[in-house]
Amino acid sequence: MLSSPLMQRALLAAILVGATAPIVGTFLVQRRMALMGDGIGHVALTGVALGWLIGTWADLVPQDTLAIPGAVVAAVVGSIVIELVRERGRTSGDLALALMFYGGIAGGVLLIKVAGGTNASLVSYLFGSISTVSTTDLWWMVALAALVLVVGIGLRVALFTVSHDEEFARASGLPTRWLAITLATLAALTVTVAMRVVGLLLVSAIMIVPVAIAQLYARSFGRTMVAASVTGVSVSVVGLVLTYWNDIPPGATIVVLAIAVYAVAAGLRPALRRPVPAHDPHPDLPDDVVLAREDTRD
């Protein structure tokens, strides 16, 4: 399998996605915006179609040469807009996400038709097509993944503070607006990194499910992030290997495998959980229950 250049590119793409997506997903889960990846993914579809349209007008070969740059621009703009709408409170975050869902899908379908393509042209972006990852796509993914890792890990303390308690972060003097926009931008870049592997419709799963698995056992934010990233790489690589030996879609296989791991981990958690010993904060004083029993006997 590793002797094939196609599988080498696919394996590297799977590792990049598995490592970066859960890192951003950890912040989104903490911020209670787990579905934000879905909204951004739908907007990115419009960017894919827009890049396709520009490539058609410029007579580029292949026509989707600018698909990833178009997705990056559309996803970043869309994520910033939704964060500003959420901050100003003119509409709820859920409503803003819904508008992005429908507008992104509709815009993508319309623009791809104007570009002379068909809806089938968007299938590989909607559901992922890791076997078609080109060298150019891979370089884009490497650059975007490196940016996400550097910013996400470098600003993890500040981003965690904003995600956990925005009011406390504001009172502490942190630039909450810019940190929130930075997090939204990281989510947008993560979506564009992952869209060739799991697809825009399933990208939120690879961002969130590994985090859900890690939270079952990790007892701190840092450990959750590391465990989620390791889990993301593991399910992505195993899913890719399964698709090499079986004719099944890679994106869906990776997501189903991640959900299966979550189900098993959740089922085993009660048996593996260590009992927490009772802690007496005042061992030198008589216990209230003992005193109550003595009073009852008297």
Side-chain angles (χ1 to χ4, degrees):
M1 181 180 70
L2 297 179
S3 63
S4 168
L6 184 148
M7 291 306 299
Q8 291 173 3
R9 293 194 300 268
L11 181 61
L12 182 55
I15 293 174
L16 290 173
V17 171
T20 56
I23 289 179
V24 178
T26 307
F27 295 113
L28 295 181
V29 170
Q30 191 70 33
R31 199 173 172 81
R32 294 179 177 85
M33 297 187 69
L35 292 178
M36 187 174 184
D38 274 336
I40 297 174
H42 286 68
V43 173
L45 183 64
T46 297
V48 168
L50 184 60
W52 199 303
L53 179 62
I54 296 175
T56 301
W57 288 346
D59 293 327
L60 298 180
V61 179
Q63 291 179 317
D64 63 344
T65 302
L66 299 179
I68 292 183
V72 170
V73 173
V76 170
V77 171
S79 64
I80 293 175
V81 168
I82 191 174
E83 179 57 36
L84 293 177
V85 169
R86 186 200 63 81
E87 181 189 75
R88 296 185 179 183
R90 294 182 179 178
T91 184
S92 67
D94 289 341
L95 180 57
L97 280 173
L99 293 175
M100 294 179 71
F101 269 51
Y102 306 134
I105 288 289
V109 172
L110 180 62
L111 288 176
I112 199 65
K113 187 65 176 179
V114 174
T118 63
N119 293 343
S121 304
L122 298 177
V123 171
S124 63
Y125 295 96
L126 285 172
F127 300 102
S129 181
I130 196 171
S131 61
T132 61
V133 175
S134 64
T135 303
T136 302
D137 293 339
L138 193 58
W139 279 115
W140 272 103
M141 295 174 69
V142 169
L144 295 175
L147 181 60
V148 170
L149 288 173
V150 170
V151 177
I153 296 177
L155 297 178
R156 64 185 183 280
V157 176
L159 292 176
F160 168 75
T161 304
V162 171
S163 301
H164 182 68
D165 191 338
E166 191 169 350
E167 294 299 327
F168 174 77
R170 186 177 293 109
S172 301
L174 292 174
T176 54
R177 168 179 287 185
W178 290 109
L179 288 173
I181 291 177
T182 298
L183 180 56
T185 303
L186 290 179
L189 296 178
T190 303
V191 167
T192 56
V193 169
M195 70 177 181
R196 289 299 254 170
V197 177
V198 295
L200 294 173
L201 293 182
L202 299 175
V203 64
S204 188
I206 199 62
M207 296 172 68
I208 303 304
V209 178
V211 179
I213 297 171
Q215 285 183 331
L216 292 174
Y217 296 96
R219 297 187 178 182
S220 67
F221 182 81
R223 291 180 180 178
T224 298
M225 181 178 289
V226 173
S229 185
V230 172
T231 303
V233 172
S234 300
V235 296
S236 298
V237 172
V238 173
L240 178 61
V241 173
L242 291 176
T243 59
Y244 178 78
W245 297 110
N246 302 276
D247 188 16
I248 50 180
T253 302
I254 292 172
V255 173
V256 170
L257 181 61
I259 294 175
V261 172
Y262 174 81
V264 173
L268 294 177
R269 185 177 180 231
L272 298 177
R273 182 186 298 175
R274 296 180 180 177
V276 180
H279 175 66
D280 188 352
H282 302 289
D284 55 321
L285 299 177
D287 189 73
D288 293 340
V289 177
V290 175
L291 293 176
R293 288 177 179 176
E294 292 178 354
D295 292 340
T296 303
R297 292 174 183 176
D298 295 339

